[in-house]
Amino acid sequence: MPLLSANGKKLSPAEIRMNDLAVGLLLQRFQAVIFSYSPADDTLILKTAPDTGGPVTLKVSHFAASHYQVAPSDLEIMPQLLMISSHFRYMMNHSPEGVLDCAEETSGIWFHLYYLHRQDDSGSDLVVGFLSTAREAESSRRELNTAASRHPITKLPLTDATSALVDQAISRLSPGEKGVIFYFDLSDYPKLIREHGLSAAESYIRQLADVLRTDFRSGDIIGQIADDRFVIFFNGYFTIDVIESRAQHLINLFRKVRTELISPVACNLGVAVTGSNGIGFSQLLPKAAHSLEIAKRRGQNRYCMFDE
């Protein structure tokens, strides 16, 4: 089908070339990707303009069928492809249009992802979008905000940042999938400071954060509500038995945390579980906190679960 201008006039080769040049400059300036996905033939088409050359078109066949995997030959725009892949299920199953603001885990690059469900001229469904990196000034602002939203000792995200991360993860739960919050604290943290000093107590919670990062999956969310209170969120197709097993494992994990001055510290754990996209961190955390208080009344190194 020939390309047409807005007034329906057929575009000349020179006009097509001019349009391609303008699009290429736009894509290069924002390190961006234009993409379209056709559910009918399960094909993702991307157009980008890397710094090393002119516009490049990439076609990924069997995109959903291959679970959004990308071949090694596509490494040149791997961060953009990873962003589209990681948010693909959300774009397909949630609002027919939207804007997502997200960071690529390995590179730390921030992206804006704009997407829209529409139909082509033949009436076939399409998902089209524009993925761009955040501007330099905005990236700097985000880095400052991220630093301010982390605990100064452990560098774990604090309450607001943790809430945003958990809400985003809950919004992406698939049917049958569970979202789980572990909310736990250290037994008598003020006494720990009195007996060993603030520096020793801070060294202990830094060691605890390192152990948690090592033991839990890279996709799990580990946050810090206060100096002695922590949150872990994870999701998957778990049975209650599996969740209880992981709760006991976390309590046992505290036996591995020790410093030169402080031996293992007791803890208690409150657990809250949801399978609903409609519940957020602000509703789920109080349920875990209530479970934590029940666990404390039962003694040290205990857990209690709330399952809605």
Side-chain angles (χ1 to χ4, degrees), residues 18-250:
M18 184 66 72
N19 284 348
D20 287 343
L21 179 60
V23 170
L25 289 173
L26 176 67
L27 297 178
Q28 191 176 79
R29 168 65 181 83
F30 291 99
Q31 301 177 27
V33 166
I34 296 173
F35 65 90
S36 66
Y37 173 74
S38 169
D41 55 12
D42 194 12
T43 299
L44 177 71
I45 298 177
L46 309 98
K47 187 169 186 177
T48 186
D51 293 335
T52 55
V56 173
T57 300
L58 176 68
K59 181 177 180 181
V60 183
S61 301
H62 310 298
F63 184 62
S66 62
H67 301 288
Y68 331 134
Q69 298 298 311
V70 180
S73 60
D74 304 325
L75 287 175
E76 190 169 16
I77 55 172
M78 180 63 82
Q80 292 92 327
L81 281 168
L82 288 175
M83 278 294 100
I84 294 171
S85 298
S86 62
H87 294 88
F88 177 77
R89 185 165 58 186
Y90 182 90
M91 290 188 291
M92 294 299 295
N93 297 330
H94 288 74
S95 172
E97 62 179 290
V99 180
L100 300 174
D101 202 11
C102 42
E104 202 275 315
E105 290 185 2
T106 55
S107 68
I109 299 174
W110 282 91
F111 288 94
H112 297 306
L113 176 59
Y114 308 82
Y115 72 92
L116 171 69
H117 289 236
R118 52 157 293 182
Q119 292 183 329
D120 62 16
D121 294 338
S122 64
S124 299
D125 292 331
L126 286 176
V127 179
V128 297
F130 181 81
L131 176 69
S132 68
T133 57
R135 295 181 179 178
E136 184 176 350
E138 188 171 353
S139 295
S140 299
R141 177 181 62 79
R142 289 183 180 282
E143 289 174 6
L144 291 173
N145 289 342
T146 299
S149 300
R150 291 185 180 274
H151 192 277
I153 303 303
T154 64
K155 308 306 179 186
L156 293 175
L158 295 172
T159 305
D160 289 346
T162 301
S163 176
L165 291 169
V166 171
D167 283 348
Q168 188 177 52
I170 290 176
S171 72
R172 297 175 185 165
L173 290 178
S174 298
E177 196 174 12
K178 298 284 189 181
V180 184
I181 277 187
F182 283 176
Y183 184 38
F184 58 98
D185 65 357
L186 311 181
S187 295
D188 207 350
Y189 185 68
K191 181 180 178 182
L192 204 66
I193 296 175
R194 289 195 303 270
E195 292 183 350
H196 301 283
L198 180 60
S199 178
E202 290 178 343
S203 177
Y204 178 86
I205 64 169
R206 185 184 296 111
Q207 177 71 14
L208 172 60
D210 290 342
V211 169
L212 293 175
R213 288 188 182 99
T214 301
D215 193 78
F216 281 81
R217 303 172 301 180
S218 60
D220 296 337
I221 299 166
I222 306 174
Q224 193 162 355
I225 304 303
D227 285 345
D228 59 343
R229 295 201 169 207
F230 298 80
V231 167
I232 298 175
F233 177 87
F234 57 94
N235 58 280
Y237 297 94
F238 305 118
T239 63
I240 295 301
D241 289 345
V242 170
I243 297 172
E244 289 182 337
S245 176
R246 293 194 68 172
Q248 186 60 55
H249 173 75
L250 177 61

Side-chain angles (χ1 to χ4, degrees), residues 268-285:
N268 290 95
L269 171 63
V271 184
V273 183
T274 185
S276 169
N277 296 109
I279 189 170
F281 180 81
S282 61
Q283 294 86 37
L284 200 57
L285 184 65

